Amino acid sequence: MQTAAACGAGGERIIWVDIARGICILLMVAGHTLSPFGTLIYLFHIPAFFILSGFTCAGERLGLGRYAWEKAKRLMLPFFAVNLFFVLLAAAASALGLSGLFMAQREPGLAARLAALFSLYPGTPQLGGATWFLPVLFLAEILYRVFGFVCAKLPFLRQREWLLAFAAGLAGQWLSAAGLWLPYNADLALTGCMYLGLGAALRRYRVMEERIPPRPMLASSIGVVMFLAFFFYRAQGPMNWPTRVFNPLPIQLPAVFCSFYLLAALGRWLAARGRAGAFFAFYGRHSFAVLAFHFAAFRLFSLVLVGLRLQDQAVLQELVPPPMEGLWWLAYAAFAAGFCLLISRLAGGFAPADFLVNARLARRGKKERA
Amino acid sequence: MSAPRAKSLAARLPLLGVLALSFFAVSWTLSPANGLVFDDYTSISMARFTSYPELFSLWPAAYYNDRPLRLMLVKFLDELFGLQFIPYHYVFVALHLLNVALVYRLAERLLAQFGAQKPAPFALLAAAVFGVWPNSLMAIAWIAATADFLCCLFVLLAALCYLRAKDEPRYRAFYTIASLLLYYLSLRSKEMSLPFAAILLVYELALWLQKKQRRFMSGPLAVHLAFMLAYAASVFVAGGSGFAPDNPYYQSFSPLLLLRNAVRYLFIYFDLSHSSFGFEGYKPAALPGIALFGLAVLFSLWLGLRKRRWGAFAAFASAAGAMVTVLPMVNMQHRLYFYLPSVFIGLFFAAVFCELASLRPGLSPKKWITAAVLLLFCANALGGNTAFKAAWLAQALAERREWEALRRLAPPEPETTYYVEGASEGYSIFFYGPGNALRILFNDASLETELVESFPEYPPAPYVLLRYNAGTIRQMARRDSIPIGENVILSVWPERIVRGSEQFNADGTLFLGIETRYAPQPGKVNLLLDGQALPFVQGEGFVSVTVPPQMLEDGALTVALQDAVSGEMGEAYSVPVE
């Protein structure tokens, strides 16, 4: 999934952005396997996606309507498509009498599922659980574009849409703290918009390249992140976006910024490392496949373990892998990453599959990268 | 070794020397005899049994002693080292040496800014005054005093970042933000650093007066000052300053008292015979140091007025500013409070010496500085300081003996209450909490401690009775549970229930008060009325239960206790119902 190609000013790809995105998406998978690094991952990985999207924001030259349509093609259509696929899959499983194997309780019928998917508070099927991010990113990007439109009209705010985005973020945080969930997770989109604005500002003012001394920032970022991840938030997760659990903004912002700085530094370092960089960059360019299908991959791996009698059948009903000792979390994560890589590659040769798995739209003989 | 590397090492040797002397000045704190003293038990107890997010608060909620970073550091050390206290002190010594190095760095930059051609030797003097002079190093010995060197560390880093923001325009925003963040962290370590922004103002003013810059107000300075005012306002709004006039923390802003306290602090700082925590009197041993200090102040004033060289006086003003938050305390002048101000005292002496050297080119600064540093170190061996160290270690040792006595006790059941006889007057290991020592020793926050004149006759179980006498601790009795048969119902009120009387509530229920030999504990003991368990509420020496009307239709109400685990019944008590 990419909101826009990770392109520089001249249209060239920014490789470290692809790498950073790839790292984040794999960390997301690891985070869902109850890995021991969950606190570290949850400290920053979702905001990092927004920041990267803001960093690579393009389309300011498009009109608002056209911009919204392009984003809808890239984010909303794939969202509905993949969740529709999972709904139909669940319906097929029910029809074949397999729901009892995979579902803990009686699941709603096909009509109810479809209604839930298209409701004001979209309810995705279990396997599509992580795709909540797509409508939120869509809304955040539209909102940011609106801010850009407004700021272009006001001389004192020209090119300062990130300021409005920050204000939106404050509103989003307030709503979350007050327990007010808006339709289509618009409250999360407000917070996401803030990070989008941060990414855009980082790019516009060349903050990381020119305004931050590398050594002190690296040293202090490592200290901040290690302390927060392995001590401060050890007993509790720092953030959980779907459940609106956020750490206080004065802690959240430095934590995210320091983590993102380290991520960017790592991305730049890997960009010069050939294969290692290419590996993560691939995942960065195919992050939709990982986002949409990693829960399915977990189920598949659980099925394998059940078949090998290494796990109880009840585990097939769990969305995330069960707590297990040792490095099983790594096995789950590696399987999911490999599975998503495989289906991403296989789907590339067939347009409908390419759209479903990679969110890529074929356009008159020319593949349009989503 | 290449020539530049050799030169670099040679340049660093003097600093390494000062660091070594600083280490030896505080190395006594690494003694195995040093351990938990006084409110260390409270610090560790609070830190251990509270999570990091619960310990931390963004903004002060109290006027005084709202220092979350202090407790977070203690928690961090507790997680690393548990009850092994020697490593704590190694960390403290390491932080102190880091602070010494930072003082050197800061002094070097500041002296250069005020016109010193070769600031390095004078910066060594500043570092030595800070790191070696014994009367300001109490914080290193004390776990509960981590606030002081943590606050100092953040202030030094903030100052260096502030200077960097001026020197590196490209990174100005970054270093300004970093300086502000570090200033904030220093305040959340200890409120003593509140005047830091004012100290920056003094520094900028001095540069401006010395015509080293065109203006003294800048964006970064304005931001720091605004933050200082906002934080000060919130601290005062938070309140909690209602101390009684005889309380150690009672404050007065009377100018005469402030002056008096300032003089007292001078005597504490320069008194070579000073051996305790607080002010001991206007002793002659302090006069040479005070005289030297006074001459230096006059000299710095003269430099400013006559030569328009304000660096030294600015350093003096900074030192005074750093003491501002503790000057109003009427009943307590404590050597602990010198750790942060001694940074500026060191800068002051360094600046004065630097100016002297510039006025007298024949003076050989290196020799004099070397002599001064060695003299500072020798002060550690003088009577006052050795007495202080001996007293501290003796206190730590005495508490260690009591600690070891507690360790020999068997681990208690959860929610055990310790009744300690003989410790209600004076100080003992049980004082803080009371009983925080027991909580951290047995790693159980549910333990309670009561300091009693005499043991209660029928305390609720589980309990332990300890007798304390001049440092010895003896366990007199311990009961983890009371057999139900022993827990007799002594009386019930009302003794006779009369239907339709005023005894009843409007809804027809009745409050029944039951006095038992031992207070029954919910979850461990059931209270049965006519064989039915009802919830009860603990009162002072009794329990009360609400009896529903349907239970009062018979001619008598039977009250009994039952062991909730075994189901064993105690003796029944019958209350007639008429």
Side-chain angles (χ1 to χ4, degrees):
Chain A
M1 157 204 67
Q2 295 164 10
T3 59
C7 293
E12 74 283 3
R13 292 200 73 85
I14 308 176
I15 300 299
W16 75 260
V17 172
D18 285 334
I19 293 171
R21 206 172 259 145
I23 293 172
C24 281
I25 202 73
L26 291 174
L27 286 178
M28 178 209 70
V29 174
H32 288 159
T33 63
L34 306 178
S35 85
F37 304 104
T39 310
L40 174 63
I41 295 166
Y42 280 83
L43 198 60
F44 75 98
H45 77 295
I46 293 179
F49 280 118
F50 285 104
I51 296 174
L52 289 168
S53 294
F55 198 88
T56 54
C57 228
E60 291 90 350
R61 278 165 285 176
L62 297 176
L64 198 53
R66 179 76 196 276
Y67 184 81
W69 171 238
E70 291 299 322
K71 289 300 171 187
K73 276 195 300 181
R74 287 188 166 90
L75 294 169
M76 295 309 293
L77 287 184
F79 167 76
F80 284 116
V82 79
N83 281 295
L84 211 54
F85 170 74
F86 288 133
V87 165
L88 292 172
L89 193 67
S94 288
L96 290 171
L98 294 172
S99 349
L101 189 64
F102 294 104
M103 317 286 183
Q105 51 206 0
R106 192 178 162 75
E107 288 286 308
L110 178 61
R113 285 173 185 275
L114 289 172
L117 185 60
F118 291 94
S119 70
L120 274 182
Y121 293 88
T124 60
Q126 224 189 22
L127 290 182
T131 57
W132 67 265
F133 179 74
L134 298 171
V136 171
L137 182 59
F138 171 74
L139 283 177
E141 293 202 320
I142 298 301
L143 190 59
Y144 193 74
R145 182 67 186 88
V146 167
F147 290 153
F149 177 78
V150 167
C151 288
K153 304 290 182 198
L154 300 170
F156 60 92
L157 277 179
R158 194 156 285 158
Q159 304 226 318
R160 290 200 168 90
E161 48 274 4
W162 52 269
L163 267 176
L164 293 181
F166 183 71
L170 292 178
Q173 291 285 289
W174 178 82
L175 286 167
S176 296
L180 298 168
W181 296 25
L182 297 181
Y184 297 109
N185 293 325
D187 51 305
L188 294 182
L190 291 171
T191 300
C193 189
M194 174 176 71
Y195 287 111
L196 212 73
L198 174 62
L202 289 176
R203 173 96 174 262
R204 173 170 294 153
Y205 300 111
R206 296 184 59 75
V207 173
M208 290 192 296
E209 296 85 346
E210 294 176 5
R211 305 274 182 201
I212 294 179
R215 273 194 199 165
M217 186 65 197
L218 267 173
S220 44
S221 294
I222 289 171
V224 166
V225 170
M226 290 296 117
F227 174 70
L228 289 175
F230 296 108
F231 290 93
F232 194 86
Y233 284 118
R234 189 175 50 203
Q236 64 186 74
M239 273 196 287
N240 191 318
W241 282 56
T243 57
R244 273 72 168 173
V245 171
F246 291 100
N247 43 8
L249 210 55
I251 299 178
Q252 190 186 136
L253 286 175
V256 168
F257 188 79
C258 290
S259 308
F260 183 79
Y261 188 85
L262 293 175
L263 177 70
L266 180 61
R268 288 196 169 91
W269 185 78
L270 285 170
R273 290 296 175 292
R275 281 192 186 168
F279 171 81
F280 288 106
F282 177 87
Y283 276 102
R285 288 194 284 270
H286 298 84
S287 48
F288 179 86
V290 181
L291 180 80
F293 291 96
H294 72 282
F295 281 137
F298 289 159
R299 282 286 169 83
L300 213 54
F301 193 63
S302 292
L303 192 61
V304 168
L305 295 182
V306 167
L308 294 172
R309 297 188 195 279
L310 291 170
Q311 273 293 345
D312 189 65
Q313 198 169 292
V315 86
L316 293 173
Q317 296 172 355
E318 303 294 331
L319 180 63
V320 295
M324 296 166 82
E325 289 196 7
L327 293 174
W328 280 108
W329 66 270
L330 190 59
Y332 265 96
F335 180 86
F339 174 79
C340 295
L341 180 107
L342 180 67
I343 61 171
S344 179
R345 283 209 173 249
L346 290 174
F350 182 46
D354 201 23
F355 173 70
L356 184 69
V357 176
N358 295 315
R360 283 194 216 181
L361 289 164
R363 193 172 67 172
R364 291 206 185 139
K366 180 172 128 179
K367 271 223 176 111
E368 182 179 297
R369 279 182 176 272
Chain B
M1 190 187 288
S2 65
R5 228 174 129 188
K7 192 178 172 189
S8 170
L9 187 62
R12 288 203 167 95
L13 272 176
L15 175 60
L16 290 174
V18 168
L19 287 172
L21 290 177
S22 301
F23 171 79
F24 288 120
V26 296
S27 60
W28 67 274
T29 66
L30 302 175
S31 161
N34 194 13
L36 297 178
V37 291
F38 306 123
D39 51 354
D40 289 348
Y41 307 103
T42 297
S43 299
I44 296 174
S45 178
M46 278 180 69
R48 180 183 290 187
F49 299 123
T50 317
S51 68
Y52 283 106
E54 286 168 343
L55 279 174
F56 183 71
S57 58
L58 281 166
W59 216 244
Y63 178 78
Y64 174 75
N65 205 18
D66 188 337
R67 302 166 183 172
L69 259 64
R70 170 181 81 96
L71 289 174
M72 284 165 63
L73 176 62
V74 172
K75 185 176 181 69
F76 179 74
L77 294 173
D78 182 47
E79 288 181 351
L80 287 180
F81 306 122
L83 298 178
Q84 307 292 323
F85 299 115
I86 294 177
Y88 283 64
H89 294 287
Y90 274 97
V91 171
F92 299 163
V93 168
L95 284 173
H96 175 61
L97 295 181
L98 175 61
N99 285 342
V100 172
L102 290 173
V103 169
Y104 171 80
R105 196 84 184 92
L106 182 65
E108 208 179 22
R109 294 183 82 120
L110 287 173
L111 290 169
Q113 287 202 332
F114 281 96
Q117 298 295 318
K118 290 182 183 174
F122 308 99
L124 284 175
L125 181 61
V129 168
F130 169 76
V132 178
W133 180 248
N135 287 14
S136 58
L137 299 178
M138 183 181 173
I140 312 303
W142 200 356
I143 292 173
T146 56
D148 291 78
F149 51 78
L150 204 58
C151 176
C152 184
L153 173 68
F154 288 127
V155 165
L156 289 168
L157 290 171
L160 285 167
C161 284
Y162 182 85
L163 293 179
R164 275 245 173 130
K166 296 181 71 170
D167 293 343
E168 298 180 51
R170 182 181 173 190
Y171 300 131
R172 191 180 192 221
F174 173 82
Y175 281 117
T176 301
I177 294 171
S179 175
L180 201 60
L181 271 173
L182 289 162
Y183 179 27
Y184 166 77
L185 291 176
S186 77
L187 286 166
R188 301 311 281 136
S189 303
K190 190 168 185 178
E191 57 281 339
M192 196 163 180
S193 62
L194 190 61
F196 172 66
I199 290 172
L200 292 179
L201 177 62
V202 165
Y203 151 76
E204 298 284 7
L205 272 171
L207 278 178
W208 176 69
L209 286 170
Q210 200 162 312
K211 296 198 188 320
K212 290 288 183 184
Q213 59 189 23
R214 293 170 79 179
R215 56 195 174 108
F216 64 85
M217 186 54 68
S218 62
L221 178 61
V223 164
H224 280 75
L225 286 168
F227 180 75
M228 179 185 75
L229 292 171
Y231 197 91
S234 69
V235 163
F236 282 96
V237 163
S241 62
F243 294 116
D246 60 347
N247 187 288
Y249 300 106
Y250 172 72
Q251 302 203 354
S252 168
F253 292 88
S254 151
L256 280 176
L257 279 174
L258 292 176
L259 184 63
R260 181 206 73 171
N261 295 340
V263 171
R264 285 187 171 189
Y265 273 114
L266 278 176
F267 272 82
I268 295 173
Y269 188 78
F270 290 108
D271 182 0
L272 296 171
S273 67
H274 192 267
S275 60
S276 67
F277 293 6
F279 178 65
E280 291 178 338
Y282 301 99
K283 293 152 89 175
L287 292 176
I290 293 176
L292 182 67
F293 183 75
L295 282 171
V297 172
L298 290 171
F299 177 63
S300 67
L301 196 54
W302 176 83
L303 280 170
L305 293 171
R306 282 302 180 100
K307 303 281 182 185
R308 301 190 75 93
R309 295 181 70 80
W310 288 100
F313 190 78
F316 162 71
S318 301
M323 294 296 296
V324 150
T325 54
V326 296
L327 281 182
M329 282 199 279
V330 174
N331 302 316
M332 182 158 67
Q333 292 79 43
H334 207 295
R335 68 193 278 167
L336 177 66
Y337 301 142
F338 274 119
Y339 192 78
L340 174 61
S342 66
V343 171
F344 304 99
I345 297 172
L347 287 172
F348 171 60
F349 280 113
V352 164
F353 210 82
C354 184
E355 296 289 356
L356 263 175
S358 71
L359 290 175
R360 300 289 297 267
L363 204 70
S364 170
K366 286 185 185 171
K367 279 187 200 162
W368 284 99
I369 288 168
T370 307
V373 168
L374 290 173
L375 274 175
L376 286 169
F377 183 69
C378 288
N380 285 273
L382 291 177
N385 205 46
T386 51
F388 171 79
K389 289 182 222 173
W392 181 274
L393 291 177
Q395 178 66 36
L397 210 53
E399 300 210 32
R400 172 73 63 78
R401 284 194 205 103
E402 294 181 12
W403 177 263
E404 292 301 326
L406 291 180
R407 278 182 62 168
R408 286 192 285 273
L409 300 175
E413 290 290 308
E415 298 180 4
T416 292
T417 301
Y418 284 85
Y419 296 93
V420 185
E421 187 188 77
S424 49
E425 297 289 328
Y427 178 75
S428 69
I429 197 172
F430 304 101
F431 180 83
Y432 282 97
N436 282 330
L438 289 161
R439 289 193 183 97
I440 61 175
L441 177 61
F442 296 119
N443 197 26
D444 187 346
S446 71
L447 300 179
E448 294 290 331
T449 301
E450 286 188 28
L451 307 183
V452 296
E453 297 292 335
S454 58
F455 293 131
E457 199 174 351
Y458 300 111
Y463 67 81
V464 176
L465 305 181
L466 299 177
R467 180 164 285 146
Y468 176 84
N469 182 19
T472 60
I473 300 170
R474 274 177 57 205
Q475 179 173 305
M476 306 305 293
R478 171 180 173 150
R479 281 194 110 159
D480 292 342
S481 62
I482 306 289
I484 202 68
E486 271 188 45
N487 199 2
V488 178
I489 296 174
L490 299 172
S491 66
V492 176
W493 186 90
E495 294 172 342
R496 283 172 43 239
I497 300 170
V498 179
R499 292 192 196 91
S501 68
E502 290 170 353
Q503 296 170 342
F504 284 76
N505 301 317
D507 60 357
T509 59
L510 175 80
F511 289 145
L512 203 67
I514 302 155
E515 188 188 357
T516 55
R517 179 170 287 164
Y518 297 95
Q521 293 191 286
K524 294 189 177 171
V525 174
N526 293 331
L527 181 66
L528 304 182
L529 268 60
D530 284 348
Q532 186 181 340
L534 291 180
F536 58 89
V537 175
Q538 291 274 11
E540 275 291 328
F542 70 97
V543 296
S544 67
V545 62
T546 305
V547 186
Q550 56 269 26
M551 278 191 167
L552 298 162
E553 288 162 4
D554 290 344
L557 182 67
T558 308
V559 182
L561 297 177
Q562 181 192 39
D563 189 310
V565 175
S566 66
E568 186 186 343
M569 297 285 294
E571 197 174 313
Y573 190 103
S574 185
V575 182
V577 180
E578 297 164 6

